Amino acid sequence: MSTPHPAGPELDGVHPAWLPQEAFRAIGSRRTLVRGDGVLADTVRAEVAYACALHGGVLLTDPEKPHDLALTVGGAPHAGEEGFVLARADGVTSVTAGGPAGLLYGLFEVVRRGEAAFGADLPAGTHRPALPRRMLDHWDNVDVHPVMGQVERGYAGGSIFWRDGEPRADLSRVRTYGRLLAACGINAVAVNNVNVHATEERLLTDRLGEVAAIAAELRPYGVRVHLSVSFASPVTLGGLGTADPLDDGVRAWWARTTERVYATVPDFGGYVVKADSEGRPGPFAYGRDHADGANVLADALAPFGGVVHWRAFVYDHRQDWRDRSTDRARAAHDHFAPLDGRFRDNAIVQVKYGPIDFQPREPVSPVIAAVPRTRLAVELQVTQEYTGQQKHVCYLAPMWREVLGFRLWGPEGRSVADVATGGGLVAVSNVGDDPYWTGHPLAQANLYAFGRLAWAPELDPAAVLDEWIGLTFPSAAGGPLRRALHDIMDGSWRTYERYTAPLGVGFMVRPGHHYGPDVDGYEYTPWGTYHFADRDGVGVDRTRATGTGFTGQYPLPWSEVYESLDTCPDELLLFFHHVPYGHVLSDGTTVIQHIYDTHFSGAEEAAAMRATWEKAAAADITGEPGVPVGLHARVRELLDEQVRSAREWRDQVNAYFFRKSGVPDAHGRPLH
Amino acid sequence: MSTPHPAGPELDGVHPAWLPQEAFRAIGSRRTLVRGDGVLADTVRAEVAYACALHGGVLLTDPEKPHDLALTVGGAPHAGEEGFVLARADGVTSVTAGGPAGLLYGLFEVVRRGEAAFGADLPAGTHRPALPRRMLDHWDNVDVHPVMGQVERGYAGGSIFWRDGEPRADLSRVRTYGRLLAACGINAVAVNNVNVHATEERLLTDRLGEVAAIAAELRPYGVRVHLSVSFASPVTLGGLGTADPLDDGVRAWWARTTERVYATVPDFGGYVVKADSEGRPGPFAYGRDHADGANVLADALAPFGGVVHWRAFVYDHRQDWRDRSTDRARAAHDHFAPLDGRFRDNAIVQVKYGPIDFQPREPVSPVIAAVPRTRLAVELQVTQEYTGQQKHVCYLAPMWREVLGFRLWGPEGRSVADVATGGGLVAVSNVGDDPYWTGHPLAQANLYAFGRLAWAPELDPAAVLDEWIGLTFPSAAGGPLRRALHDIMDGSWRTYERYTAPLGVGFMVRPGHHYGPDVDGYEYTPWGTYHFADRDGVGVDRTRATGTGFTGQYPLPWSEVYESLDTCPDELLLFFHHVPYGHVLSDGTTVIQHIYDTHFSGAEEAAAMRATWEKAAAADITGEPGVPVGLHARVRELLDEQVRSAREWRDQVNAYFFRKSGVPDAHGRPLH
């Protein structure tokens, strides 16, 4: 029996995130029996052995010996390959897994429960993931991109895979990363940026060994590797004269190339493609549509069980801002709805959760309801491009929960999570080579929560937050630090929403880097993201009656709900309607007063977060269990920046609308 | 007698600018006598010899032989070292120079006049430069700066001095550059960026050889080399614990270091310093003022006849946009006026022409009138940072002429050019390694005109333009191309002004790169450049009565002229006053209608420029003398961009003010 030592826990200078040694105390102090074969069962054995070494327990192989915990592969076929049955009876806790991956997830479920897993009897409960693929897309580059750097939209240092054009010599951190992912339920990683530049293209061919090396580190934790590829590869790598997806030579090239990939990485997951999007090559160049494009890759992958994730993020990024009839929000539906039924079974259309681009508040994308005969994955953004760039605390799980639970055809209909069972849930990763993994230490919670919600979309985000706090700060159990963390993080997304762009209108960020306020930053650009504020009102008219007709892309009841000013939810008002500043919201305040109120309160809430954190520090000093000094200082420094930035947002947004509307604040607060 | 071959005329692939072979036809076809010794007289001999080789004339040394042109050093002491007396009598044209440099400038005056120099008799006229130092500041970096590139605010390719961290192996282009400079009267070049980064600091010490190599190329054309240095050099290069200008060790370090500079470059010009400005180190860190700072360098340079150019561009670039009492326009005067009389004789305070930063329209800086006991240089910007970035045709000489001729104390008082006789005229260079030197071929005219106006500030910019056209396009003499060039260029600065920020308010450019419109781009930033537009009006109140008091920094009559809405010139209205959109200008239109009108007409004028250029092309086709095909195509392509950009400016500025003011265009033109 091989028992590879888990690579991660003691990586020098790297924060253990939600798997500190203390998290293994309950398991590691008991007698545990592990039964099963293969690399994943070996991983489980090694994890238990390591926990026992730390905490004095025993790893058993003889089932006849008395034990507290039994982890067994087989005997629960209904749980599926990744699922397990958890029970406790007669003083023994048992995990009976449908397959080796289930054993791994069962182990981490017991870790999560800690002592509670060894308390009262527990009737047998089946646990299995709601979504088949729970995936992170890394926007890592091999070369340092002159504008985007080593990791596009990365706010946590360099890449854990590459550095300055070369693969990292020591990939032990990748192994540790896989362990963290397994512990929150993630089973797939696309290793490179969807904007595939020249060097990165070659990961598909002569640099494939680098992908294989990453796969080798992630395999023991059940994480499969995917690769972003360029649609133009047959030309740029293959030397063909065309990348036309209906060309026989192109089809043969993809088939041959993919065969070589699987010869090197037998459990390779598949391709991710951004095509005809923000300048990337795609099938339009050959007069083909996106089903043609996706299918040529799907056909190449099919013999090996691979999938292609084909992004629906297709729009005209050279729009004329003067032309109010063109609506970027419509683009994905316009392009993809007509193609429903034309995609192969192993082609997954990957749709951003909202119709624009990862804003703090958007309606759910109408594409999700529009392609019932297509396997569909929903894409979230764990990296905080538009939500504070890992300088601001912004716990995103409450937003994701709203999205996943959104019922696409009204209260009785299926939810986004239901529809995504065909393809899965994908998110852009927020991880880099930062000592805390995510830049802001508290941004770890977003990565953790993403995995948990992908496994079980019905989870309460506040409960997931408490899970994360409990694992990550075990010494703070029940104390004021734990309450402080909960208070700071639980409402932080809504706080962020309050001090940034109002009522769903989006953007108002500095062009390019997207950090900090610039109300008109995108207003006169070709990017299709406008607010149309004038001296009388603000918002985008996307109604059928008088606007772009975007509301008509939704099924009932939402097409009607969004169409009408009377029923459109306030938080999306300016996404769907252009209204006068005096328009009265459901709580009786006017739009202009709402802008002032939310921006004052949002900035105040940011200041309160900092005050709460300072008090948590005091707890440390007075002898209560606290957080490490370095982590405390990092968070405090970042909260200083958040408070500064939130005030800047407040003052700029309020000044902008005051200067336009001329309406003073009802409470006489200063406007500039 | 050494006769170095002029390096320039036939550089492969480099446009000859205003010194094509044809420009030497009049001299080169005659018998010319040259008398004088030294490197500059040798240059003149070599130039004449080369011209004669091209056009069949003869270079004589025997004064007894019959000749058409005599160039002689000596015999005109009143003309000064750089001056000369030009006359024609008895069939002989004579240049009698006060010194060797005068011989060189006399030669190029004859080149400029061409056949006219050999026509009718000419009474003896003395020519000498109005300003002693006529200088270009290169903002070239040695290393490619990650943000600013090889040349900061450079729009003409790389540096002619450095490339990717190394000096260029072949400096023949620098020699050619010196020849062009001498031909328009420029006699000094600061070789490196005033933002002196780590590598560039070392040009003062261990990389001094690179400065010497450049000096060797420029010396034959009478151009002395200056160096931008960091005020922190005693710390960063010298290893001292301080750069305090009153510290004896610091004084000794500068003295020692400067002595070594002169040992290597005996005719070294001096230092240029940007201190306490936009993050550069300076004397404030030690509680010293800028006279202390400048004087320590001046003292080090004095024994060798060098000067320090100390920039007055000192302001708070971390201003709070909410605080309307702080006014960046005041900063240079606030800092420097109290120091008048405290600077050494060889310390030159270098003042940007306007109080803000090289905008297309600013009032003249009040500092120029405020330091009568200080040697003062005026700084212009030939590189078109804020005037179209060498993508737009924008002939700047009319603006410079207005600035230089501005009478600081009213109609009877001295002009800016009069005051600048103490220090000289300086400009940021627009030259790079582009085949046309300046990116836009027509931007060469700005470089030429700068030199000419620095020599003779009273020149008519339109006449200088015609000079440049005649030299640069000799085959087009008198034809439609010449008229087309004049029509396109002569009014191009006012055209640019019309379609960009209105009525002197400035900025409204995209932050960072400063190209293209962004009305609010700087409105909520720390940079101190605001327009304060709201739904009622626009402009900056800089009056004493109700504003920042900036008008009080001017002497009479300007302090009163600018203070009053009745007398403030329209073109500076929004620089000095915040007015309602309905405010009526001197021509009877309102401010808002003026904004619409100028932006429509400015964009139309840009389109007309392109049409004129197209017709000039037709002239080429129909057999008239035209311009080279490559140059024609380059200009056409750039005019396309100018037309596009001018329309974008028009539509964004008009849309912005329409949305704010709600006032429709009186002529019913579309506003967005």
Side-chain angles (χ1 to χ4, degrees), chain A residues 410-434:
Chain A
E412 307 303 311
R414 294 165 73 216
S415 69
V416 168
D418 295 336
V419 171
T421 52
L425 198 65
V426 181
V428 188
S429 173
N430 66 345
V431 159
D433 71 351
D434 174 74

mmCIF file of all heavy atoms in Angstrom, chain A residues 410-434:
data_model
loop_
_atom_site.group_PDB
_atom_site.id
_atom_site.type_symbol
_atom_site.label_atom_id
_atom_site.label_comp_id
_atom_site.label_asym_id
_atom_site.label_seq_id
_atom_site.Cartn_x
_atom_site.Cartn_y
_atom_site.Cartn_z
ATOM 1 N N GLY A 410 -40.441 31.253 -12.705
ATOM 2 C CA GLY A 410 -41.331 31.610 -11.617
ATOM 3 C C GLY A 410 -41.272 30.619 -10.473
ATOM 4 O O GLY A 410 -40.506 29.646 -10.516
ATOM 5 N N PRO A 411 -42.062 30.879 -9.431
ATOM 6 C CA PRO A 411 -41.933 30.155 -8.160
ATOM 7 C C PRO A 411 -41.987 28.635 -8.277
ATOM 8 O O PRO A 411 -41.345 27.934 -7.498
ATOM 9 C CB PRO A 411 -43.127 30.672 -7.348
ATOM 10 C CG PRO A 411 -43.464 31.989 -7.942
ATOM 11 C CD PRO A 411 -43.111 31.913 -9.385
ATOM 12 N N GLU A 412 -42.703 28.125 -9.264
ATOM 13 C CA GLU A 412 -42.848 26.669 -9.353
ATOM 14 C C GLU A 412 -41.793 26.048 -10.269
ATOM 15 O O GLU A 412 -41.724 24.830 -10.395
ATOM 16 C CB GLU A 412 -44.254 26.301 -9.878
ATOM 17 C CG GLU A 412 -45.392 26.925 -9.096
ATOM 18 C CD GLU A 412 -45.294 26.547 -7.619
ATOM 19 O OE1 GLU A 412 -45.124 25.351 -7.307
ATOM 20 O OE2 GLU A 412 -45.372 27.478 -6.776
ATOM 21 N N GLY A 413 -41.020 26.885 -10.933
ATOM 22 C CA GLY A 413 -40.144 26.357 -11.975
ATOM 23 C C GLY A 413 -38.786 25.915 -11.464
ATOM 24 O O GLY A 413 -38.492 25.973 -10.262
ATOM 25 N N ARG A 414 -37.959 25.494 -12.381
ATOM 26 C CA ARG A 414 -36.630 25.029 -12.035
ATOM 27 C C ARG A 414 -35.715 26.232 -11.767
ATOM 28 O O ARG A 414 -35.921 27.314 -12.299
ATOM 29 C CB ARG A 414 -36.059 24.176 -13.171
ATOM 30 C CG ARG A 414 -36.827 22.880 -13.383
ATOM 31 C CD ARG A 414 -36.473 22.250 -14.721
ATOM 32 N NE ARG A 414 -35.138 21.673 -14.687
ATOM 33 C CZ ARG A 414 -34.292 21.686 -15.717
ATOM 34 N NH1 ARG A 414 -34.650 22.296 -16.839
ATOM 35 N NH2 ARG A 414 -33.102 21.130 -15.627
ATOM 36 N N SER A 415 -34.737 25.960 -10.925
ATOM 37 C CA SER A 415 -33.808 27.024 -10.557
ATOM 38 C C SER A 415 -32.587 27.000 -11.476
ATOM 39 O O SER A 415 -32.379 26.053 -12.242
ATOM 40 C CB SER A 415 -33.345 26.832 -9.115
ATOM 41 O OG SER A 415 -32.521 25.686 -9.041
ATOM 42 N N VAL A 416 -31.760 28.036 -11.348
ATOM 43 C CA VAL A 416 -30.493 28.066 -12.075
ATOM 44 C C VAL A 416 -29.659 26.832 -11.727
ATOM 45 O O VAL A 416 -29.066 26.190 -12.600
ATOM 46 C CB VAL A 416 -29.726 29.365 -11.753
ATOM 47 C CG1 VAL A 416 -28.288 29.304 -12.261
ATOM 48 C CG2 VAL A 416 -30.456 30.570 -12.342
ATOM 49 N N ALA A 417 -29.617 26.478 -10.455
ATOM 50 C CA ALA A 417 -28.841 25.300 -10.054
ATOM 51 C C ALA A 417 -29.381 24.047 -10.721
ATOM 52 O O ALA A 417 -28.617 23.160 -11.131
ATOM 53 C CB ALA A 417 -28.858 25.155 -8.533
ATOM 54 N N ASP A 418 -30.704 23.948 -10.847
ATOM 55 C CA ASP A 418 -31.291 22.789 -11.518
ATOM 56 C C ASP A 418 -30.817 22.700 -12.961
ATOM 57 O O ASP A 418 -30.442 21.628 -13.453
ATOM 58 C CB ASP A 418 -32.828 22.884 -11.507
ATOM 59 C CG ASP A 418 -33.401 22.800 -10.103
ATOM 60 O OD1 ASP A 418 -32.721 22.229 -9.218
ATOM 61 O OD2 ASP A 418 -34.504 23.341 -9.880
ATOM 62 N N VAL A 419 -30.847 23.835 -13.646
ATOM 63 C CA VAL A 419 -30.462 23.838 -15.057
ATOM 64 C C VAL A 419 -28.975 23.510 -15.206
ATOM 65 O O VAL A 419 -28.554 22.836 -16.153
ATOM 66 C CB VAL A 419 -30.792 25.203 -15.701
ATOM 67 C CG1 VAL A 419 -30.200 25.307 -17.107
ATOM 68 C CG2 VAL A 419 -32.307 25.401 -15.750
ATOM 69 N N ALA A 420 -28.175 23.988 -14.251
ATOM 70 C CA ALA A 420 -26.730 23.800 -14.345
ATOM 71 C C ALA A 420 -26.294 22.365 -14.058
ATOM 72 O O ALA A 420 -25.109 22.046 -14.199
ATOM 73 C CB ALA A 420 -26.012 24.762 -13.407
ATOM 74 N N THR A 421 -27.224 21.505 -13.653
ATOM 75 C CA THR A 421 -26.821 20.107 -13.431
ATOM 76 C C THR A 421 -26.319 19.482 -14.727
ATOM 77 O O THR A 421 -25.561 18.508 -14.691
ATOM 78 C CB THR A 421 -28.000 19.267 -12.885
ATOM 79 O OG1 THR A 421 -29.130 19.449 -13.748
ATOM 80 C CG2 THR A 421 -28.365 19.685 -11.487
ATOM 81 N N GLY A 422 -26.724 20.031 -15.860
ATOM 82 C CA GLY A 422 -26.214 19.503 -17.123
ATOM 83 C C GLY A 422 -24.734 19.742 -17.302
ATOM 84 O O GLY A 422 -24.003 18.878 -17.807
ATOM 85 N N GLY A 423 -24.283 20.892 -16.901
ATOM 86 C CA GLY A 423 -22.894 21.249 -17.161
ATOM 87 C C GLY A 423 -22.074 21.466 -15.919
ATOM 88 O O GLY A 423 -20.940 21.021 -15.819
ATOM 89 N N GLY A 424 -22.647 22.145 -14.947
ATOM 90 C CA GLY A 424 -21.910 22.359 -13.717
ATOM 91 C C GLY A 424 -21.777 23.835 -13.375
ATOM 92 O O GLY A 424 -22.419 24.694 -13.984
ATOM 93 N N LEU A 425 -20.954 24.081 -12.385
ATOM 94 C CA LEU A 425 -20.718 25.443 -11.933
ATOM 95 C C LEU A 425 -19.221 25.727 -12.069
ATOM 96 O O LEU A 425 -18.390 24.914 -11.668
ATOM 97 C CB LEU A 425 -21.168 25.603 -10.475
ATOM 98 C CG LEU A 425 -21.381 27.023 -9.968
ATOM 99 C CD1 LEU A 425 -22.527 27.714 -10.702
ATOM 100 C CD2 LEU A 425 -21.665 27.019 -8.459
ATOM 101 N N VAL A 426 -18.942 26.857 -12.674
ATOM 102 C CA VAL A 426 -17.554 27.221 -12.956
ATOM 103 C C VAL A 426 -17.309 28.594 -12.359
ATOM 104 O O VAL A 426 -18.222 29.425 -12.311
ATOM 105 C CB VAL A 426 -17.313 27.272 -14.479
ATOM 106 C CG1 VAL A 426 -15.858 27.623 -14.793
ATOM 107 C CG2 VAL A 426 -17.711 25.964 -15.132
ATOM 108 N N ALA A 427 -16.092 28.843 -11.903
ATOM 109 C CA ALA A 427 -15.777 30.194 -11.431
ATOM 110 C C ALA A 427 -14.331 30.532 -11.749
ATOM 111 O O ALA A 427 -13.461 29.660 -11.764
ATOM 112 C CB ALA A 427 -16.008 30.311 -9.932
ATOM 113 N N VAL A 428 -14.098 31.799 -11.985
ATOM 114 C CA VAL A 428 -12.732 32.270 -12.149
ATOM 115 C C VAL A 428 -12.072 32.284 -10.771
ATOM 116 O O VAL A 428 -12.621 32.840 -9.819
ATOM 117 C CB VAL A 428 -12.705 33.680 -12.760
ATOM 118 C CG1 VAL A 428 -11.274 34.072 -13.105
ATOM 119 C CG2 VAL A 428 -13.603 33.756 -13.988
ATOM 120 N N SER A 429 -10.919 31.668 -10.689
ATOM 121 C CA SER A 429 -10.241 31.475 -9.402
ATOM 122 C C SER A 429 -9.692 32.783 -8.843
ATOM 123 O O SER A 429 -9.342 33.694 -9.582
ATOM 124 C CB SER A 429 -9.096 30.486 -9.582
ATOM 125 O OG SER A 429 -8.318 30.405 -8.398
ATOM 126 N N ASN A 430 -9.604 32.851 -7.528
ATOM 127 C CA ASN A 430 -9.032 34.028 -6.864
ATOM 128 C C ASN A 430 -7.693 33.715 -6.211
ATOM 129 O O ASN A 430 -7.251 34.439 -5.319
ATOM 130 C CB ASN A 430 -10.009 34.594 -5.827
ATOM 131 C CG ASN A 430 -10.257 33.639 -4.662
ATOM 132 O OD1 ASN A 430 -9.924 32.460 -4.757
ATOM 133 N ND2 ASN A 430 -10.855 34.148 -3.590
ATOM 134 N N VAL A 431 -7.031 32.643 -6.662
ATOM 135 C CA VAL A 431 -5.833 32.151 -5.983
ATOM 136 C C VAL A 431 -4.563 32.554 -6.729
ATOM 137 O O VAL A 431 -4.527 32.553 -7.954
ATOM 138 C CB VAL A 431 -5.923 30.617 -5.848
ATOM 139 C CG1 VAL A 431 -4.558 29.995 -5.641
ATOM 140 C CG2 VAL A 431 -6.845 30.263 -4.685
ATOM 141 N N GLY A 432 -3.550 32.879 -5.962
ATOM 142 C CA GLY A 432 -2.231 33.149 -6.518
ATOM 143 C C GLY A 432 -1.168 32.685 -5.539
ATOM 144 O O GLY A 432 -1.459 31.949 -4.589
ATOM 145 N N ASP A 433 0.038 33.154 -5.746
ATOM 146 C CA ASP A 433 1.123 32.676 -4.888
ATOM 147 C C ASP A 433 1.284 33.508 -3.620
ATOM 148 O O ASP A 433 2.286 33.410 -2.925
ATOM 149 C CB ASP A 433 2.443 32.599 -5.670
ATOM 150 C CG ASP A 433 3.018 33.973 -5.995
ATOM 151 O OD1 ASP A 433 2.321 34.987 -5.781
ATOM 152 O OD2 ASP A 433 4.166 34.023 -6.467
ATOM 153 N N ASP A 434 0.287 34.298 -3.324
ATOM 154 C CA ASP A 434 0.237 35.048 -2.079
ATOM 155 C C ASP A 434 0.283 34.085 -0.875
ATOM 156 O O ASP A 434 -0.278 32.998 -0.939
ATOM 157 C CB ASP A 434 -1.077 35.840 -2.078
ATOM 158 C CG ASP A 434 -1.324 36.552 -0.771
ATOM 159 O OD1 ASP A 434 -0.658 37.562 -0.528
ATOM 160 O OD2 ASP A 434 -2.181 36.084 0.017
#
